[in-house]
Amino acid sequence: MTTQEIIDNGLKVLAGRANTYRKAKDYYDGKHRLAFATEKFLNAFGDLFEKFADNLMPPVVDAVKDNLIVTGFNVEAGDQGLADEAWKVWQGARMGRRAGQVHKEALRAGDAYLIVWPDRDGQPAFHPNKAHLCTVNYDDEQPERVVSAVKVWQRADKRYRLNVFFPDRIEKYLTRQSHPNGMPESEKAFDRFEIPGEAWPLENPYGVVPVFHFGNNADIGESGCSELRNVMPLQDALNKAVLDKMVAMEFAAFPQRYAIGLEVESDPISGKPINPFQGVERWVTVANDNAKFGQFEGASLKQFLEVQDSFRMEIARVSGTPLHYFFLQTSVPSGEALKTIEKRFIKKVEDRQGSFGQVWEDILSLALRMGDGIPLSADVRLFTQWADPAPSSQKERLEAIVLKMDIGIDEEQALIEAGYGLKDIAAMQGRKAKRQVEATREFDAGDIAA
């Protein structure tokens, strides 16, 4: 495609996805449509609960996001020092928190993007981008390879900036006039945007498009899918069930009293009958010996609660989120019980670790080349290491480490996996060495005395 075609296609794609991304964010934030609110609810509560939502969307996203924790990098072959350099770059860029933001955006919207480019000091800078700002084009012959990317955003003066990224260059554009009503539809609205002292187009010496796509549960060469897509209708239904309960509480949950054979007084001004039951301090007296009093039982709310619970269970089933994320737990399941309950959920987390991990590997490979010019050879590949998503107790973790020591890992690595820092490990090893020296001296002294 020509640059003009890439720009037009990018504008079309972003415009087409805008509502999808906005809806997912709104539902995550609790901005739901009260599409099923009954007339009785509106009459009883008006706009009091206009923004009402029993919002279960955050757990669907956050349960996965909280288990996507990068703990380091490894190499399949070659110098382990490259993996250490990659982790040093990661920590230097404070990616622990920023990676969580990228994962959250990808899970919630379906897509997230990260741009890598050298800063003024020549060191790699990581720039997370929201889904509605970027789009990428994949190679038809090599679907995993990005051949171009487009980023569009609006400046404070309502004019739109647009960058087109290629493996060998970056072209920058700016609209000729402001567009307060939305993004332009064609590349004809843009002119070159030239920065004093910077070449146009800007050279990209790295041979890869520096825009990386995190597609959640994405098909080959396609955009991703929000974790909320299939559960948003169920969220609407849950809100409807809660609203129905509130209407029942207002109109039918309180016992209604009745009287037979009672002469009711009327208000002398309005002429309307006066309710004899108003006020707990009032006595009701009647002259009619045949007058009878009683009350109707209030409507049971149990069925409304059961319906709400059924929708919570359905959200858990459809999303694969463990049920205890949606219900108050009076007891905590054991580690083995959690493993069984969360089996499907853990598989989903491991799938996201695999797909997102490959993107982080490509990002760090490029960052190493940018920073200190460290290229990875063809036979060396980085691998992302993740925190174990499977729940386990401290005893189980330590037992696993002991088994690893039996098959050959050294003591220092075992202590690292147990959670100790390098300074603590050095101190423990120093004390251990000191005790061994003292034990040797005592042995020698006892041998001489004998």
Side-chain angles (χ1 to χ4, degrees), residues 326-402:
F326 303 122
F327 288 88
L328 180 64
Q329 297 291 306
T330 56
S331 60
V332 180
S334 66
E336 287 300 321
L338 276 176
K339 286 180 182 179
T340 303
I341 295 171
E342 299 188 351
K343 187 175 181 179
R344 179 187 169 201
F345 172 71
I346 292 171
K347 287 294 183 182
K348 180 168 75 170
V349 172
E350 290 174 344
D351 175 79
R352 304 305 185 266
Q353 288 178 344
S355 59
F356 292 170
Q358 292 180 8
V359 184
W360 287 123
E361 291 152 17
D362 293 339
I363 289 171
L364 268 297
S365 297
L366 177 58
L368 288 175
R369 294 169 57 195
M370 287 182 178
D372 298 321
I374 304 175
L376 293 179
S377 61
D379 61 339
V380 176
R381 178 188 164 190
L382 286 174
F383 285 93
T384 309
Q385 295 178 316
W386 299 89
D388 187 0
S392 59
S393 65
Q394 184 177 9
K395 178 182 178 182
E396 291 172 327
R397 291 194 297 271
L398 294 177
E399 288 175 347
I401 292 172
V402 172

Side-chain angles (χ1 to χ4, degrees), residues 129-200:
N129 280 260
K130 291 185 175 296
H132 70 277
L133 298 178
C134 301
T135 183
V136 296
N137 298 307
Y138 288 94
D139 190 347
D140 290 334
E141 293 185 5
Q142 298 176 312
E144 75 282 355
R145 178 172 172 262
V146 175
V147 294
S148 64
V150 174
K151 176 180 177 180
V152 186
W153 71 100
Q154 190 177 42
R155 304 194 314 184
D157 61 0
K158 303 300 181 181
R159 298 171 74 185
Y160 276 84
R161 277 289 317 280
L162 184 148
N163 287 353
V164 187
F165 300 83
F166 296 96
D168 61 345
R169 68 191 189 280
I170 301 174
E171 298 182 7
K172 301 181 179 181
Y173 297 89
L174 176 68
T175 54
R176 287 183 289 275
Q177 59 188 15
S178 63
H179 289 261
N181 297 323
M183 189 169 55
E185 298 179 355
S186 169
E187 58 86 21
K188 295 178 180 179
F190 293 87
D191 282 333
R192 286 186 180 185
F193 179 68
E194 299 186 8
I195 299 175
E198 181 181 287
W200 198 104

Side-chain angles (χ1 to χ4, degrees), residues 183-291:
M183 189 169 55
E185 298 179 355
S186 169
E187 58 86 21
K188 295 178 180 179
F190 293 87
D191 282 333
R192 286 186 180 185
F193 179 68
E194 299 186 8
I195 299 175
E198 181 181 287
W200 198 104
L202 179 64
E203 180 186 6
N204 175 10
Y206 305 106
V208 296
V209 175
V211 181
F212 297 87
H213 175 214
F214 292 81
N216 181 58
N217 199 25
D219 291 330
I220 298 173
E222 300 289 340
S223 60
C225 172
S226 170
E227 291 290 327
L228 304 180
R229 185 181 69 173
N230 294 326
V231 294
M232 285 188 283
L234 294 172
Q235 176 67 69
D236 288 337
L238 173 61
N239 288 343
K240 166 67 164 57
V242 176
L243 298 183
D244 286 346
K245 182 184 72 173
M246 295 175 69
V247 171
M249 290 168 59
E250 179 72 11
F251 290 100
F254 295 103
Q256 301 295 311
R257 299 186 179 94
Y258 66 85
I260 300 174
L262 176 65
E263 295 183 4
V264 180
E265 298 180 11
S266 299
D267 186 284
I269 299 176
S270 65
K272 294 182 178 180
I274 299 175
N275 184 355
F277 298 108
Q278 290 179 348
V280 295
E281 77 286 355
R282 294 190 58 182
W283 288 85
V284 179
T285 59
V286 294
N288 187 354
D289 294 338
N290 296 321

Side-chain angles (χ1 to χ4, degrees), residues 52-74:
F52 172 85
D54 183 11
N55 192 12
L56 297 187
M57 298 297 94
V60 174
V61 172
D62 295 345
V64 182
K65 186 261 296 182
D66 292 345
N67 282 280
L68 295 176
I69 302 173
V70 177
T71 58
F73 294 91
N74 207 338

Side-chain angles (χ1 to χ4, degrees), residues 429 431-441:
Q429 290 177 334
R431 290 194 296 269
K432 181 178 179 180
K434 182 179 179 181
R435 288 195 298 269
Q436 289 175 339
V437 170
E438 291 174 350
T440 302
R441 289 176 178 172

